């Protein structure tokens, strides 16, 4: 037994010989939990996950003997957990509206029985290695929970429970380890959150994560197993974009980590997800979703932990062979929590108060994303999408700039676009994706071989219009040639008819790859047909007045992804809309060649 | 130990006192200091070890004589007695009555720090509050349980806007009477406080207001308590007594500056502009106390006012606030100088909860699209105005000239309104269509074709 020597904010100095770094401690009459972050002789410094008010020097403290770990087993999906995996729903029922301190509630429900079906390949006497699948529990209608041998267990399976109902704590099997000890197996196991879960090897990421958001999928794709960041000032749409991804992406499991952000945003997810259906499976979205929440008013140390809790849960589902997406809103709050603790430890700040290891911590965290071959020989992936909240919207600040070095897909949000309510406010010039060529293969195989070229054409058009806009801002639009004016108009058509996609628009909130591609090529077609006319001498003014342009801007909100026939009819009619102008401006007569083919 | 007076102050500086040789004092415990003149000050233990205890003194440490200072540790956090009798009363910045009337008697004393609300217990705010101000109702609507600050600057009419909201705010189809107001001022001038007091008096709600005042000439460190005391009162009124509470707090900048002052004394590592890294979490502890709770009738709607130092929205105080609150109403100097009241700069303004509280079942079916269209058209119009400034208005095309006229009318007729003008949401939306009708219908693609047919008054 140790004791408290000093309390300083969330840090507590303990007289606790023989503890190790990272060990969980329980301190004081209230039984507050925390972890050891430094040691000096017999004294240890611990950071507590709960508010330390009321603790007194002299009160008792004990080391618990293990590092911060999570419980992994059935009962996770559909749940909401705090930054150290306490179940918030159960805590609400048990202790009321406010989060009282020192409340210990098991992460997974203890009383609930699950229907366990052993894997037919498993039998007594067989050799078992960690990560193998022992059997399954149908956790929600759409998700089968695969019960895994804890990664570090290896030995001979002595017995395995037959099909039947079990609580997570029931012993469902026994393994004789190499050293002769017997290890009991349960429906769940524990894993330390700061240690990445092992796998056989890394795989290449191959398939794009389809999010249903055109500016993401069509322009700046992310792969399953990839890493992405969404930086942007407040109000630019980071959270909404993450909500959109969490709702519509074609992952099998979604882990939403609310790290130091608003309570109401989690309520929003909790209230909306059960009412929405997964466009890929037709099941309620909540069945595949779980939330980790350390809101901005909850203790800051648990905020730092919440990110690791989230990623460990993600790895666990990956190890079952699933494609998992974890969105973290916001990684900046995690970095700030790191900074706060570093400051209290008296560590030398290097930039804006952040410790020197900020970059390496961020990199190590994002490194836990990836597509892997699991220990069981399956394939699974963790895709990581982190929001970044730069102070003052300045992307040169440390968290944004370090993150930018690490990730492959960068969805930069712009205040100017958000101010004009152009959503998602993803800046098409600042953003980038390192996955375009891999994604192009998928689009070519599944949607259309022309995807890569069309995407490039649209981006060229946008870039060209940016140049022209600069001229306009200096001398006015009248100074432009007709070709240039048409280019401007077509770019604006792409922005309004394709890039803008309101999350609140019931029809357009999700766009299937087919719909995305149909709109992309349709708008490009309008651009090209118009350009042909301009080259024939038609003034841009005439083209800009065409009703087609206003109509095409509305197509996205008029046609649902699963009913594109009517849209295709409209698209097929594009040439006809240009017909009158074409007749007018096609150089008449002398060309006998034209006449020759007319009967 | 509560009754023992220690006379072991070892050092004092700024607002901090170090007490030596005091065993086992609880962190966060309230402290009472009696100085040589018999004046009693109060403080809080912010760091506690067996050999030394660090105490933050709210009234400051001026003229403190170490040898003649007696200190008692009260072994409990800072608490506020709560009761229905708080309504109509005025308290000082640390929650003691300062209206010359007797103290509020209650056995129910609450820790002013509160406890974090379990996110699973929250109910999402969805009820539209009509403030009668078009720039807010039409484009940045407030919902019950939202925290929506006013970002302002010196000399701008934020107090008048806040007072107008308090006067006019109501749910559609419900009387304003259900509201009570908790008003907290820190670092505000006496004139500001008087302005609010008179405004409450005029609208006859004074007996439904609880005031907490720490004015500009009052102890700086005490400001760290004021919003917490006010919100403790608000939570009691909302979640124990079922009131819908509107909390107005001014000025958050003065609060953050007080926090910085103490942080510097404590030697905390500064993050930006000298503000400590934990300013974000500290502000969040305050702002996140707004909201609704499942199975409870009352609510806390919060309107913090803050002045942006040098009108800079990227300054840490507005910046971190914007990262926590559910939007912001930004007041602008340019509009104000042109005589527009309320001078709401709509583009950087935002209400994050608007999308869930307006439309068919709440206000009117066209509201979401109209708001979006106003933003888009006005943003476009401002571009044209910028262009006109460069190349001259006579060089503009006809279409651009119409756009310019729209921008002017939008500011003069939609944003601008009387301080006593209480527009219904229908009036606001109809006015919006009057203005949108100045623009050709084919340029209005954020509204649906049906809405155009129904509401657009122009011909092409
Ligand atoms: N994709 C979108 N569709 C519609 N509205 C959006 C979208 N993204 C953002 N918004 C609007 O912007 C507001 C702020 O977005 P949010 O995601 O909360 O910003 P951030 O997290 O960057 O501060 C939202 O409340 C919503 O009104
Ligand atoms: Mg956000």
């Amino acid at each position: 037994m140790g004791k408290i020597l000093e309390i300083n904010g969330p840090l507590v100095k303990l007289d606790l010989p023989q503890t190790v770094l990272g060990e969980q401690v329980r301190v004081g009459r209230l039984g507050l939990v925390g972890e050891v972050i430094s040691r000096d002789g017999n004294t240890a410094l611990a950071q507590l996950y709960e508010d330390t008010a009321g603790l007194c020097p002299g009160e008792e403290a004990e080391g618990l003997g293990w590092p911060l770990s999570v419980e992994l087993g059935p009962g996770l999906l559909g749940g909401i957990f705090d930054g150290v995996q306490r179940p918030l729903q159960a805590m609400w029922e048990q202790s009321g509206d406010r989060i009282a301190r020192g409340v210990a509630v098991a992460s997974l429900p203890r009383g609930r029985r699950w229907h366990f079906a052993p894997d037919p390949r498993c039998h007594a006497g067989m050799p078992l290695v960690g990560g193998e699948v022992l059997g399954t529990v149908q956790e929600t209608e759409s998700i089968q929970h695969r019960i895994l041998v804890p990664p570090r267990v290896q030995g001979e399976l002595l017995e395995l429970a037959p099909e039947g109902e079990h609580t997570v704590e029931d012993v469902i099997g026994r393994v004789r380890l190499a050293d002769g000890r017997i290890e009991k197996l349960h429906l769940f196991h524990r894993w330390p959150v700061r240690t990445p879960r092992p796998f056989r090897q890394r795989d290449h990421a191959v398939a794009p994560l389809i999010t249903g958001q055109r500016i993401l999928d069509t322009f700046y794709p992310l792969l399953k197993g990839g890493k992405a960041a969404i930086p942007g000032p407040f109000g630019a749409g980071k959270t909404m974009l993450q909500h959109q991804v969490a709702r519509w992406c074609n992952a099998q499991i979604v882990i939403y980590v609310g790290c130091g952000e608003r309570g109401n945003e989690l309520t929003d997810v909790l209230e909306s997800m059960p009412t929405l259906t997964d466009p890929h499976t037709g099941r309620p979205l909540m069945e595949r979703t779980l939330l980790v929440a350390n809101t901005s008013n909850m203790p800051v140390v648990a905020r730092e932990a919440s990110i690791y809790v989230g990623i460990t849960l993600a790895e666990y589902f990956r190890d079952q062979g699933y494609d998992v997406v974890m969105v973290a809103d916001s990684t900046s709050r995690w970095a700030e929590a790191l900074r706060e603790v570093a400051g209290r430890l008296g560590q030398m700040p290097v930039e804006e108060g952040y410790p020197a290891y900020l970059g390496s911590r961020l990199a190590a965290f994002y490194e836990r994303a990836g597509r892997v071959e699991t220990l069981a020989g399956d394939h699974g992936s963790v895709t990581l999408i982190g929001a970044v909240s730069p102070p003052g919207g300045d992307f040169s600040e440390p968290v944004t700039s370090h993150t930018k070095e690490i990730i492959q897909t960068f969805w930069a949000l712009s205040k100017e676009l958000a101010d004009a309510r152009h959503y998602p406010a993803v800046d098409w010039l600042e953003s980038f994706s390192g996955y375009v060529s891999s994604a192009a293969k998928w689009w070519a195989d599944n949607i259309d071989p022309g995807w890569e070229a069309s995407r490039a054409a649209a981006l060229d058009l946008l870039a060209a219009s940016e140049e022209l806009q600069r001229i306009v801002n200096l001398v006015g639009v009248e100074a432009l040639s007709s070709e240039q004016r048409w280019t401007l108009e077509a770019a604006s058509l792409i922005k309004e008819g394709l890039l803008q996609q309101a999350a609140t628009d019931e029809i357009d909130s999700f766009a299937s790859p087919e719909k995305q591609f149909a709109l992309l090529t349709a708008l490009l077609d309008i651009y090209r047909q118009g350009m042909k006319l301009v080259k024939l001498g038609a003034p841009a003014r005439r083209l800009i007045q065409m009703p087609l342009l206003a109509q095409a801007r509305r197509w996205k909100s008029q046609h649902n992804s699963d009913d594109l026939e009517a849209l295709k009819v409209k698209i097929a009619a594009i040439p006809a809309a240009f017909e009158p102008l074409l007749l007018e401006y096609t150089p008449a007569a002398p060309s006998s060649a034209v006449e020759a083919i007319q009967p | 130990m509560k009754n023992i007076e220690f006379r072991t102050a070892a050092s004092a500086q700024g607002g901090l006192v170090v007490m030596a040789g005091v065993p086992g004092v609880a962190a966060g415990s309230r402290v009472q200091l009696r100085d040589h003149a018999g004046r009693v000050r109060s403080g809080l233990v912010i760091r506690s070890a067996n050999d030394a205890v660090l105490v933050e003194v709210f009234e400051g440490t001026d003229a403190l004589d170490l040898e003649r200072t007696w200190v008692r540790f009260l072994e409990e956090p800072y608490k506020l007695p709560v009761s229905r009798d708080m309504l109509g009363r005025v308290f000082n910045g640390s929650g003691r009555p300062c209206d010359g009337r007797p103290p509020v008697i209650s056995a129910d004393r609450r820790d002013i720090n509160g406890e974090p609300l379990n996110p699973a217990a929250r109910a999402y705010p969805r009820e539209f509050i009509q403030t009668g101000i078009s720039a807010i109702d039409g484009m940045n609507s407030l919902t019950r349980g939202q925290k929506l600050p006013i970002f302002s600057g010196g000399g701008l009419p934020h107090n008048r806007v806040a007072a107008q909201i308090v006067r006019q705010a109501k749910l559609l189809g419900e009387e304003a009477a259900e509201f009570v107001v908790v008003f907290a001022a820190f670092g505000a001038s006496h004139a500001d406080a008087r302005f609010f007091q008179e405004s409450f008096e005029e609208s006859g709600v004074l007996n439904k207001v609880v005031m907490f005042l720490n004015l500009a000439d009052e102890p700086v460190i005490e400001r760290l308590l004021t919003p917490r005391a006010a919100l403790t009162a608000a939570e009691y009124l909302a979640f124990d007594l079922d009131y819908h509470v509107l909390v107005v707090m001014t000025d958050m900048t003065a609060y953050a500056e007080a926090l910085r002052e103490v942080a510097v004394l404590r030697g905390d590592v500064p993050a930006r502009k000298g503000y400590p890294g934990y300013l974000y979490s500290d502000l969040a502890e305050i702002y996140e106390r707004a909201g609704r709770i499942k199975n409870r009738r009352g609510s806390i709607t919060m309107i913090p006012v803050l002045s942006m130092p040098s009108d800079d929205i990227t300054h840490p105080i507005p910046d971190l606030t914007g990262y926590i609150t559910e939007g912001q109403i930004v007041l602008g100097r340019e509009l104000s100088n042109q005589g527009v009241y309320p001078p709401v700069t709509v583009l950087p303004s935002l209400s994050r909860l608007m999308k869930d509280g307006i439309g068919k079942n709440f206000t009117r079916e066209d509201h979401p699209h109209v708001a979006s269209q106003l933003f888009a058209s006005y943003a476009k119009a401002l571009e044209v105005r910028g262009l006109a400034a460069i190349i001259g208005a006579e060089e503009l095309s006809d279409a651009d000239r119409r756009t310019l006229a729209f921008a002017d009318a939008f500011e003069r007729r939609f944003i601008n309104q009387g301080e006593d003008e209480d527009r219904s949401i229908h009036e606001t939306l109809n006015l919006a269509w009057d203005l949108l009708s100045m623009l050709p219908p084919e340029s209005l693609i954020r509204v649906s074709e049906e809405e155009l047919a129904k509401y657009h008054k122009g011909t092409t």
Side-chain angles (χ1 to χ4, degrees):
Chain A
M1 229 1 130
K3 68 176 201 294
I4 302 179
L5 297 175
E6 180 178 343
I7 305 115
N8 179 18
L11 291 194
V12 179
K13 194 188 275 177
L14 305 172
D15 174 22
L16 192 66
Q18 286 169 0
T19 181
V20 291
L21 286 186
E23 183 179 1
Q24 295 281 284
V25 290
R26 189 178 291 132
V27 304
R29 277 163 305 162
L30 286 167
L32 306 183
V33 177
E35 69 186 69
V36 174
I37 52 173
S38 80
R39 249 196 82 179
D40 183 8
N42 282 343
T43 62
L45 207 55
Q47 52 176 352
L48 301 194
Y49 305 130
E50 296 177 272
D51 185 14
T52 54
L55 285 184
C56 286
E59 286 184 45
E60 289 187 343
E62 60 171 332
L64 300 179
W66 57 75
L68 176 61
S69 306
V70 284
E71 292 188 354
L72 302 169
L76 291 169
L77 294 174
I80 174 168
F81 300 90
D82 78 356
V84 290
Q85 210 206 5
R86 293 186 302 177
L88 287 168
Q89 187 71 30
M91 280 172 60
W92 178 46
E93 284 155 19
Q94 197 171 312
S95 55
D97 298 337
R98 311 271 162 186
I99 301 181
R101 291 184 296 157
V103 178
V105 186
S107 303
L108 296 175
R110 287 298 189 265
R112 176 142 180 207
R113 290 182 171 278
W114 301 95
H115 188 84
F116 171 70
D119 191 297
R121 288 167 301 187
C122 289
H123 55 82
M126 75 184 282
L128 264 193
V129 297
E132 273 184 309
V133 179
L134 285 170
T136 58
V137 163
Q138 194 69 40
E139 182 171 355
T140 64
E141 208 157 314
S142 48
I143 301 295
Q144 194 180 56
H145 200 115
R146 302 181 182 137
I147 307 300
L148 303 180
V149 181
R152 282 165 187 163
V153 170
Q154 188 164 351
E156 179 196 343
L157 180 62
L158 296 179
E159 58 172 326
L160 184 62
E163 184 163 350
E165 310 290 314
H166 296 282
T167 68
V168 289
E169 282 181 315
D170 290 350
V171 175
I172 55 149
R174 271 175 240 277
V175 179
R176 193 202 320 272
L177 305 178
D179 61 8
R181 281 185 302 123
I182 307 285
E183 174 96 11
K184 293 176 191 152
L185 301 176
H186 308 271
L187 288 182
F188 84 111
H189 64 267
R190 291 199 172 82
W191 188 263
V193 299
R194 295 185 199 277
T195 310
R197 285 174 63 88
F199 46 79
R200 259 189 217 165
Q201 58 175 19
R202 281 186 186 271
D203 271 351
H204 285 298
V206 282
L209 181 80
I210 298 300
T211 65
Q213 311 303 304
R214 289 182 290 269
I215 181 77
L216 309 189
D217 299 351
T218 296
F219 290 94
Y220 298 104
L222 173 61
L223 298 186
K224 288 178 180 169
K227 317 175 234 198
I230 310 179
F234 66 82
K238 301 177 293 296
T239 303
M240 284 287 275
L241 197 57
Q242 290 195 318
H243 281 199
Q244 286 297 85
V245 172
R247 280 176 185 155
W248 307 128
C249 77
N250 63 345
Q252 290 151 307
I253 303 286
V254 172
I255 300 197
Y256 185 101
V257 182
C259 174
E261 294 288 311
R262 303 176 185 83
N264 276 331
E265 292 173 345
L266 292 151
T267 311
D268 188 15
V269 177
L270 282 175
E271 289 186 8
S272 66
M273 287 289 200
T275 66
L276 296 169
T277 26
D278 183 344
H280 313 282
T281 63
R283 298 291 314 164
L285 279 173
M286 203 63 202
E287 287 187 1
R288 66 164 198 189
T289 309
L290 82 85
L291 286 81
V292 177
N294 175 281
T295 54
S296 57
N297 56 337
M298 285 159 78
V300 74
V301 175
R303 187 166 310 161
E304 197 268 333
S306 66
I307 287 281
Y308 293 103
V309 166
I311 192 75
T312 308
L313 296 171
E315 287 174 343
Y316 171 64
F317 283 102
R318 171 203 70 190
D319 292 346
Q320 296 174 44
Y322 287 122
D323 288 320
V324 184
V325 163
M326 165 164 153
V327 295
D329 190 11
S330 152
T331 58
S332 294
R333 306 298 166 222
W334 165 71
E336 286 164 10
L338 206 69
R339 172 173 72 185
E340 204 169 317
V341 174
R344 287 189 203 266
L345 285 175
Q347 287 165 345
M348 188 66 153
V350 291
E351 20 177 19
E352 296 192 15
Y354 287 105
Y357 49 79
L358 171 70
S360 57
R361 287 280 173 93
L362 271 169
F365 163 66
Y366 275 102
E367 210 41 39
R368 292 176 75 169
R371 183 164 180 270
V372 304
E373 184 183 336
T374 67
L375 295 178
D378 257 332
H379 297 277
S381 66
V382 171
T383 311
L384 249 183
I385 303 172
V388 187
S389 317
D394 171 11
F395 285 8
S396 68
E397 61 91 36
V399 183
T400 317
S401 52
H402 282 296
T403 305
K404 198 172 175 180
E405 300 289 307
I406 297 165
I407 47 78
Q408 297 288 318
T409 295
F410 193 68
W411 292 322
L413 300 188
S414 133
K415 178 164 167 49
E416 284 67 38
L417 290 175
D419 278 358
R421 271 53 174 180
H422 171 116
Y423 297 124
V426 177
D427 187 322
W428 47 87
L429 298 175
E430 285 270 309
S431 301
F432 61 79
S433 164
Y435 300 122
V436 175
S437 49
S438 310
K441 275 203 202 68
W442 181 91
W443 283 84
D445 292 347
N446 293 276
I447 307 294
D448 194 286
W451 178 81
E452 197 170 5
S454 299
R455 171 187 179 272
L459 282 175
D460 285 348
L461 178 56
L462 290 167
S465 96
E466 213 69 24
E467 277 301 308
L468 295 174
Q469 194 60 50
R470 259 192 280 279
I471 300 175
V472 171
N473 291 346
L474 288 178
V475 291
V477 73
E478 303 297 333
L480 297 187
S481 69
S482 252
E483 270 184 45
Q484 290 172 321
R485 288 183 68 177
W486 178 243
T487 303
L488 264 189
E489 177 64 21
S492 133
L493 175 65
I494 297 268
K495 291 176 205 169
E496 293 176 27
L498 190 72
L499 301 186
Q500 268 178 29
Q501 189 177 0
T504 44
D505 182 327
E506 228 166 274
I507 289 180
D508 202 32
S509 191
F510 168 84
S512 66
E514 292 79 9
K515 177 173 170 182
Q516 299 191 24
F517 186 71
L519 283 173
L520 170 67
T521 47
L523 301 188
L524 283 175
D525 190 29
I526 293 179
Y527 165 57
R528 290 191 183 117
Q529 302 254 3
M531 196 48 108
K532 193 164 72 188
L533 272 164
V534 171
K535 290 209 161 122
L536 287 172
R541 187 172 27 83
R542 295 282 308 274
L543 291 163
I544 293 171
Q545 285 164 354
M546 287 172 62
L548 173 68
L549 295 184
Q551 288 159 5
R553 282 171 161 88
R554 296 180 186 280
W555 288 345
K556 59 180 185 181
S557 319
Q558 292 170 333
H559 302 281
N560 223 311
S561 288
D562 44 24
D563 180 21
L564 295 178
E565 284 320 304
L567 174 61
K568 288 185 179 147
V569 171
K570 288 180 184 172
I571 290 174
I574 292 175
F578 286 93
E579 199 68 23
L581 280 174
L582 200 58
L583 281 177
E584 192 176 329
Y585 284 96
T586 306
S591 152
S592 52
V594 174
E595 271 165 357
I597 53 167
Q598 312 257 311
Chain B
M1 177 148 136
K2 259 203 298 218
N3 303 316
I4 306 174
E5 281 198 323
F6 293 89
R7 209 188 50 157
T8 53
S11 68
Q13 190 202 7
L16 301 181
V17 172
V18 176
M19 297 293 297
V22 188
V25 176
S29 144
R30 196 152 71 90
V31 174
Q32 225 167 52
L33 286 85
R34 194 163 54 82
D35 64 21
H36 58 281
R39 194 176 140 215
V40 174
R41 311 183 197 198
S42 52
L44 213 56
V45 173
I46 54 175
R47 186 165 175 167
S48 174
N50 270 330
D51 45 355
V53 172
L54 187 61
V55 176
E56 181 175 290
V57 184
F58 296 117
E59 291 84 351
T61 46
D62 287 351
L64 212 58
D65 176 351
L66 295 182
E67 277 69 42
R68 290 186 297 157
T69 296
W70 293 267
V71 178
R72 288 196 315 156
F73 296 93
L74 303 180
E75 295 185 278
E76 62 165 24
Y78 225 96
K79 289 186 173 175
L80 182 78
V82 290
S83 120
R84 195 183 294 271
D85 300 338
M86 292 183 299
L87 289 170
R89 299 292 309 269
V90 184
F91 302 88
N92 73 4
S94 51
R96 274 192 291 275
C98 63
D99 52 4
R101 291 162 56 192
V104 169
I105 309 287
S106 171
D108 197 349
R109 296 168 64 248
R110 306 248 167 123
D111 180 352
I112 63 163
N113 289 307
E115 281 176 326
L117 192 56
N118 185 332
R122 280 187 190 268
Y124 197 76
R126 290 180 200 282
E127 294 163 298
F128 172 79
I129 294 179
Q130 180 178 297
T131 66
I133 298 174
S134 292
I136 297 179
D137 294 352
M139 301 174 76
N140 298 288
S141 342
L142 176 66
T143 57
R144 199 174 247 182
Q146 182 170 10
K147 38 190 178 294
L148 188 61
I150 298 176
F151 285 11
S152 187
L156 293 178
H158 42 264
N159 287 346
R160 284 157 59 200
V161 177
Q164 187 173 2
I165 295 175
V166 170
R167 262 195 323 272
Q168 300 182 169
K170 54 178 157 298
L171 282 206
L172 292 180
E174 188 187 86
E175 286 127 63
E178 276 219 28
F179 278 104
V180 298
V181 176
V182 171
F183 175 78
F186 15 95
S189 68
H190 286 266
D192 289 342
R194 200 170 324 114
F195 168 81
F196 277 102
Q197 218 149 358
E198 282 166 8
S199 146
F200 296 145
E201 225 161 272
E202 270 164 37
S203 44
V205 294
L206 205 51
N207 60 341
K208 297 208 166 266
V209 180
V210 193
M211 289 204 167
F212 292 84
L213 304 178
N214 165 295
L215 300 179
D217 53 0
E218 291 179 294
V220 169
I221 304 178
E222 187 184 73
R223 286 171 201 166
L224 300 182
L225 296 179
T226 315
R228 294 182 165 81
L231 284 161
T232 302
E235 282 174 352
Y236 173 77
L237 292 166
F239 304 124
D240 287 64
L241 303 186
D242 291 346
Y243 282 111
H244 293 295
V245 185
L246 195 57
V247 177
V248 176
M249 299 192 292
T250 181
D251 174 335
M252 293 310 293
T253 301
Y255 171 83
E257 281 166 357
L259 189 76
R260 173 170 69 177
E261 207 172 307
V262 177
V264 169
L265 286 173
R266 286 165 61 159
D268 293 332
V269 181
R272 270 178 81 216
K273 297 217 160 133
Y275 291 91
Y278 52 80
L279 176 60
Y280 175 82
S281 301
D282 190 279
L283 288 173
E285 277 173 21
I286 294 172
Y287 296 139
E288 280 283 312
R289 288 172 84 168
R292 305 215 59 172
I293 300 180
K294 282 181 197 150
N295 311 326
R296 308 249 172 183
R297 290 199 46 222
S299 62
I300 297 180
T301 308
M302 195 188 285
I303 303 189
V305 176
L306 66 83
S307 43
M308 300 183 278
S310 343
D311 289 351
D312 176 12
I313 199 171
T314 67
H315 182 281
I317 301 169
D319 189 52
L320 295 180
T321 297
Y323 269 119
I324 303 163
T325 53
E326 282 140 352
Q328 65 278 339
I329 302 294
V330 183
L331 303 189
R333 206 163 290 283
E334 206 174 315
L335 281 179
S336 183
N337 289 344
Q338 290 161 15
V340 173
Y341 171 91
V344 176
T345 319
V346 288
L347 296 191
S349 297
L350 169 71
S351 165
R352 293 162 189 269
L353 302 184
M354 175 171 182
K355 58 189 188 311
D356 304 290
I358 62 166
K360 194 158 112 231
N361 300 321
F362 305 97
T363 52
R364 204 168 83 181
E365 88 289 352
D366 57 328
H367 191 171
H369 290 162
V370 168
S372 173
Q373 187 64 60
L374 285 175
F375 276 115
S377 297
Y378 184 58
K380 177 91 200 15
L382 289 186
E383 267 175 40
V384 174
R385 190 185 275 169
L387 181 61
I390 296 167
I391 63 168
E394 36 323 318
E395 296 291 315
L396 292 180
S397 67
D398 282 351
D400 281 351
R401 253 180 248 143
R402 276 165 94 177
T403 309
L404 265 193
F406 163 79
D408 293 338
F410 174 77
E411 289 164 1
R412 293 271 144 220
R413 292 170 56 198
F414 188 86
I415 305 276
N416 191 39
Q417 69 182 82
E419 208 168 325
D420 289 310
E421 189 180 350
D422 188 358
R423 295 184 188 155
S424 74
I425 183 62
H426 283 262
E427 286 171 310
T428 289
L429 291 172
N430 292 342
L431 181 55
W433 277 109
D434 285 347
L435 299 169
L436 289 176
S437 297
M438 297 173 69
L439 299 170
E442 63 275 7
S443 74
L444 306 177
I445 63 137
R446 304 261 180 122
V447 290
S448 73
E449 285 167 325
E450 297 75 48
E451 287 158 352
L452 275 179
K454 184 161 170 195
Y455 296 108
H456 194 274
K457 302 185 176 69
T459 47
T460 332

